[in-house]
Amino acid sequence: MNPVIEKKHLRYLAQSAWTKPFRKFLYKRLPKDKPVSMLEVGCGTGVLVDCVKDEFRGKINLIAGVDLDRCVLDYAKDKTCFIAVQADGMKLPFSNESFEFVFCHYLLLWTYSPERVITEMKRVTKTGGLCAVMAEPDYGELEAKPESLTRLAQEQVMALERQGAKLNNGHCLGELFRSVGFQNCQAGCYQRGLVNRDFLAQEISQMIEDCGIQSFKIDEKVDYIYHVPTYYAYAVK
Ligand SMILES: C[S@@+](CC[C@H](N)C(=O)[O-])C[C@H]1O[C@@H](n2cnc3c(N)ncnc32)[C@H](O)[C@@H]1O
């Protein structure tokens, strides 16, 4: 087992829990009278593919995922059964109108043209099908307090930018959907979650890992604020 991928997988698992209520909301917008085909773009280790398969149990007849990274796809295929294709979300290897449900989750920040990805997602969505960006963080609106945590969060932002991430897409999702021709899109921001100590400790350890800082000690007497606004958008084609 590759420990780097295993670690990514655990992170993706944690993130999938944050978006569960939104997935449930989306399922209500999918056709009920027939099984649906679905595609995740940027599927990583297959966490979301698994979630949707379980949560929307028995209602899916074809599951596909694409990712640029062969290693995460191999990991995903070892765990679950789906059509896993190594491909670029900006050039999907599927014909027009192939799937009833097309989505991505924490993907766009890693692509240099989110607009091209959404254009491709729209192209392969069937007429009447659902196209959704389930989660896109916006670090431009990040809130981290007190000052010690602000500095750490800023270091993380710079480290992610050095890795090529575009961190301010979140608030533009509605505009992006409209720019590719979705007139009826709905977009919004997830509610701020509870910042309990476990969550904070997990997020801080992720920040430390991302920016290579040695340590950060959580002071039990300090009230921390940490919030990365995370956006969603969806539209029926
Ligand atoms: C943060 S991970 C999220 C994985 C998965 N969606 C999840 O939430 O569990 C982003 C994934 O997108 C993939 N990716 C980045 N750019 C891509 C592109 N242009 N086309 C397809 N996949 C891409 C990365 O390889 C990575 O596996």
Side-chain angles (χ1 to χ4, degrees):
M1 189 76 55
N2 180 332
V4 176
I5 297 189
E6 186 66 31
K7 200 159 191 184
K8 282 187 184 180
H9 181 67
L10 293 177
R11 175 74 179 160
Y12 300 161
L13 270 176
Q15 290 174 332
S16 72
W18 305 341
T19 53
K20 186 170 179 176
F22 182 57
R23 289 197 295 279
K24 296 220 154 154
F25 170 85
L26 285 180
Y27 301 147
K28 295 192 188 121
R29 273 135 195 92
L30 284 169
K32 286 170 195 64
D33 51 337
K34 55 174 184 190
V36 300
S37 51
M38 80 168 214
L39 168 71
E40 180 182 4
V41 182
C43 63
T45 57
V47 168
L48 265 287
V49 163
D50 262 352
C51 288
V52 178
K53 208 158 84 174
D54 286 353
E55 294 160 359
F56 207 49
R57 193 179 291 275
K59 295 185 185 133
I60 299 176
N61 61 3
L62 184 128
I63 304 176
V66 304
D67 202 287
L68 275 181
D69 184 347
R70 178 84 261 155
C71 299
V72 291
L73 285 178
D74 287 343
Y75 181 99
K77 277 194 301 183
D78 281 350
K79 287 189 167 292
T80 190
C81 181
F82 71 115
I83 302 165
V85 184
Q86 186 177 19
D88 189 338
M90 290 187 280
K91 203 173 176 207
L92 291 171
F94 304 108
S95 0
N96 296 353
E97 311 241 343
S98 293
F99 303 92
E100 267 107 8
F101 183 27
V102 178
F103 68 90
C104 66
H105 188 260
Y106 288 97
L107 165 70
L108 299 178
L109 70 160
W110 295 111
T111 67
Y112 69 80
S113 175
E115 193 170 349
R116 271 176 65 186
V117 176
I118 299 172
T119 302
E120 277 294 88
M121 288 172 64
K122 178 170 181 265
R123 181 182 67 76
V124 301
T125 305
K126 288 186 185 179
T127 300
L130 185 65
C131 182
V133 172
M134 287 191 189
E136 185 62 22
D138 197 319
Y139 284 79
E141 298 176 357
L142 168 89
E143 205 184 344
K145 286 179 187 156
E147 181 59 27
S148 55
L149 190 59
T150 314
R151 279 198 305 274
L152 180 62
Q154 284 167 347
E155 290 283 343
Q156 182 196 32
V157 165
M158 287 188 288
L160 292 173
E161 281 172 346
R162 281 196 295 276
Q163 289 171 39
K166 305 272 178 308
L167 298 173
N168 302 349
N169 289 329
H171 72 279
C172 307
L173 286 186
E175 212 178 300
L176 278 169
F177 264 58
R178 282 185 285 276
S179 75
V180 307
F182 279 125
Q183 299 308 328
N184 59 347
C185 93
Q186 304 285 322
C189 187
Y190 286 90
Q191 293 288 315
R192 177 198 292 262
L194 201 67
V195 183
N196 62 35
R197 293 281 147 162
D198 286 348
F199 173 79
L200 193 68
Q202 269 174 28
E203 289 306 290
I204 286 175
S205 88
Q206 185 65 43
M207 288 184 225
I208 288 170
E209 187 184 322
D210 286 343
C211 60
I213 281 177
Q214 289 308 308
S215 66
F216 178 96
K217 196 160 167 27
I218 296 178
D219 183 340
E220 294 305 324
K221 293 193 258 357
V222 171
D223 292 324
Y224 292 94
I225 293 175
Y226 181 71
H227 179 53
V228 182
T230 299
Y231 287 79
Y232 60 82
Y234 68 92
V236 173
K237 181 170 165 184

